[in-house]
Amino acid sequence: MIGSLLVITGPDTNVKFEIDPGQNLVIGRGADTLTRLKDPQVSRKHCELRVEGNKVTIHDLGSAAGTLVNGRKVTSQTLKSGDVIQIGSTQLRFSLEGSGEHDASTLLLQAGTASRKEGPEQIVELTGKKFSHYLVGSVLANGTAGVIFKGKDENSGQEVAIKVLRPVYASDEDEMQRFVRAMKTMLPLRHPNLITLLGAGKQGQYCWMAMEYVEGESMDKVIERIGVAGMLDWRYALRVAVHIARALEYAHGQNIIHRNITPTNIIMRSADKVAKLGDLMFAKALEGTNAKQVTRPGELVGDVAYMAPERTHGGAAEVDGRSDIYGLGATVYALLTGRPPFEGSSLLETVHKIRTAEPTKPKKFQLSIPDLFEGVVMQMLAKRPQDRQPSATDLLNNLERVAKFQGVSV
């Protein structure tokens, strides 16, 4: 063995994979890989480690979500001991044998810190600091755009979630103004099915936002659980669909399009089973040039598997509320079946299927789904926006009709 990969976040946390001399190690969730990760956001063959002597390089295999090394997307890169690889929601720490580095817990959140050149602090080091009157606590999640912390509003004493963006987003005045405009639009909005934005600003090299803390389970975790434990009751998916359709009806009524509805952005609150939509206006806030520089030219931003066909054509595409309806439809489909409507072995294949293929009807996976509900979901997934429900209000009416006919309280 010349090295190893240790899973430090994701469904397979603490699983270790050994790397042998001369080995090519394919990483993914497919049965024909040696890793077989459980993360549904990981492609079947996501990336590959190639060993030549003492040099180990990582190569992306055309994955849907991309491969990140220390927070930056790569197509291929030579790895150093301590590098953190992120694929989907899974992070793996690469170690060379005998390198004598620190324990994995000390490097858990190196993934996503784009570079120390962006500032003297890594985002993880913000724990214990304050943004305005919000005290930063432990890390809840780590993504491409930034890190989410649990926090506390020292004025009210309530728990909050604090999202801190990577410094690249605050390095330009135009970018800052875009962020400020988006947050000003979001701050007054209040709806039972939207995660409330409580405050936002810029401090030092960081843009930050404080949000309502929701104790519950995100839909990506629910879908992951479906894959392990079996089918989810269709009534749960219907409840999520109705609640988020209500949030969209409100947002669209304010002329706000979400742009990135995925399972990750929807949380079911444990206490009362209310589904809430997060990151409203966040996609709009990150539309600038620096956000585009974080990705390769022509690369699609967001979770491609839940992207409407028109959105796969990039920034020039016309996007309206019907793109949000598709994203919700794809999420509900995954809740019913345990998988998104379309999956491919590469980004190109996934996009091609989204644009051209017809989804398998959910009843093939779960016979108990009512025909009326299946019909609503299939219409949400129509290729052409004009073939979907015309508006979130129409969608909500259709879903509430399903609930009424089935005697389901939502």
Side-chain angles (χ1 to χ4, degrees):
M1 182 178 81
I2 69 162
S4 63
L5 285 175
L6 177 68
V7 182
I8 55 177
T9 64
D12 300 279
T13 297
N14 294 326
V15 173
K16 189 174 184 179
F17 303 105
E18 294 184 352
I19 304 167
D20 295 322
Q23 179 184 28
N24 288 346
L25 177 66
V26 176
I27 303 169
R29 58 182 176 82
D32 53 350
T33 70
L34 294 178
T35 55
R36 299 196 67 177
L37 298 170
K38 298 173 186 173
D39 185 347
Q41 297 180 40
V42 171
S43 296
R44 288 186 174 86
K45 290 184 178 180
H46 199 107
C47 59
E48 182 179 32
L49 294 191
R50 299 173 189 169
V51 182
E52 299 174 6
N54 289 323
K55 185 174 82 169
V56 180
T57 56
I58 187 167
H59 301 265
D60 184 77
L61 298 177
S63 62
T67 299
L68 290 78
V69 176
N70 299 331
R72 291 209 181 273
K73 286 196 174 183
V74 301
T75 51
S76 64
Q77 182 168 312
T78 300
L79 295 175
K80 305 184 301 297
S81 195
D83 281 347
V84 178
I85 301 161
Q86 180 163 345
I87 55 175
S89 62
T90 295
Q91 294 178 341
L92 308 98
R93 177 169 166 259
F94 171 70
S95 300
L96 279 174
E97 193 70 4
S99 60
E101 58 199 67
H102 297 293
D103 182 77
S105 61
T106 66
L107 293 167
L108 181 62
L109 286 160
Q110 275 191 358
T113 38
S115 167
R116 285 197 176 268
K117 292 180 182 177
E118 291 181 353
E121 295 180 326
Q122 294 188 28
I123 295 184
V124 67
E125 295 168 352
L126 294 172
T127 297
K129 299 184 183 292
K130 287 184 185 179
F131 290 108
S132 183
H133 51 89
Y134 299 102
L135 179 65
V136 179
S138 59
V139 173
L140 294 173
N142 182 24
T144 304
V147 176
I148 302 177
F149 298 85
K150 194 170 184 179
K152 182 179 180 180
D153 182 342
E154 294 199 315
N155 288 349
S156 67
Q158 74 178 109
E159 291 183 323
V160 297
I162 303 171
K163 176 174 280 191
V164 183
L165 303 188
R166 307 208 182 283
V168 66
Y169 294 106
S171 62
D172 178 273
E173 183 59 29
D174 288 340
E175 307 286 329
M176 268 303 305
Q177 290 306 315
R178 182 176 289 103
F179 175 81
V180 168
R181 285 194 300 271
M183 293 306 105
K184 281 184 176 179
T185 300
M186 183 62 189
L187 275 166
L189 303 183
R190 296 291 184 273
H191 187 274
N193 299 112
L194 285 178
I195 294 176
T196 303
L197 182 67
L198 303 171
K202 179 178 183 288
Q203 184 169 309
Q205 60 184 333
Y206 299 114
C207 291
W208 61 272
M209 57 199 90
M211 303 166 287
E212 167 192 11
Y213 175 68
V214 181
E215 185 75 56
E217 189 175 27
S218 62
M219 292 305 102
D220 59 317
K221 300 300 181 188
V222 174
I223 294 164
E224 176 187 306
R225 190 156 43 77
I226 297 169
V228 174
M231 285 302 146
L232 185 73
D233 191 321
W234 61 265
R235 295 168 185 84
Y236 182 102
L238 177 60
R239 184 179 185 87
V240 171
V242 169
H243 289 192
I244 303 307
R246 289 172 181 165
L248 290 181
E249 181 184 45
Y250 173 76
H252 293 175
Q254 309 291 317
N255 295 315
I256 295 171
I257 309 302
H258 190 287
R259 290 174 167 80
N260 191 34
I261 294 184
T262 68
T264 308
N265 287 329
I266 299 172
I267 298 177
M268 177 77 82
R269 189 163 57 197
S270 301
D272 54 10
K273 305 305 178 190
V274 170
K276 286 180 166 272
L277 176 63
D279 271 357
L280 188 65
M281 292 301 295
F282 189 59
K284 185 69 174 174
L286 300 186
E287 277 187 341
T289 53
N290 279 342
K292 291 170 184 170
Q293 288 167 9
V294 174
T295 62
R296 295 187 301 273
E299 183 176 348
L300 299 170
V301 180
D303 196 328
V304 176
Y306 299 90
M307 199 174 273
E310 63 272 19
R311 285 193 59 223
T312 66
H313 294 284
E318 288 293 326
V319 172
D320 60 22
R322 294 169 297 182
S323 297
D324 284 349
I325 288 174
Y326 182 98
L328 177 56
T331 298
V332 173
Y333 184 99
L335 288 171
L336 292 170
T337 67
R339 67 201 73 191
F342 305 105
E343 290 182 295
S345 59
S346 68
L347 173 62
L348 287 176
E349 184 183 346
T350 301
V351 169
H352 179 71
K353 287 183 176 181
I354 289 171
R355 292 175 180 173
T356 63
E358 289 302 317
T360 303
K361 291 188 175 182
K363 289 191 75 163
K364 182 173 180 181
F365 302 93
Q366 188 177 167
L367 284 171
S368 62
I369 300 169
D371 290 340
L372 190 59
F373 186 24
E374 180 183 70
V376 172
V377 174
M378 292 297 284
Q379 185 181 355
M380 295 168 77
L381 295 174
K383 300 295 180 197
R384 303 192 311 161
Q386 58 267 41
D387 294 331
R388 298 172 207 148
Q389 290 82 359
S391 69
T393 299
D394 290 291
L395 171 62
L396 180 58
N397 290 339
N398 291 344
L399 291 167
E400 288 181 335
R401 188 178 303 118
V402 173
K404 181 179 180 181
F405 285 174
Q406 298 297 324
V408 177
S409 175
V410 290

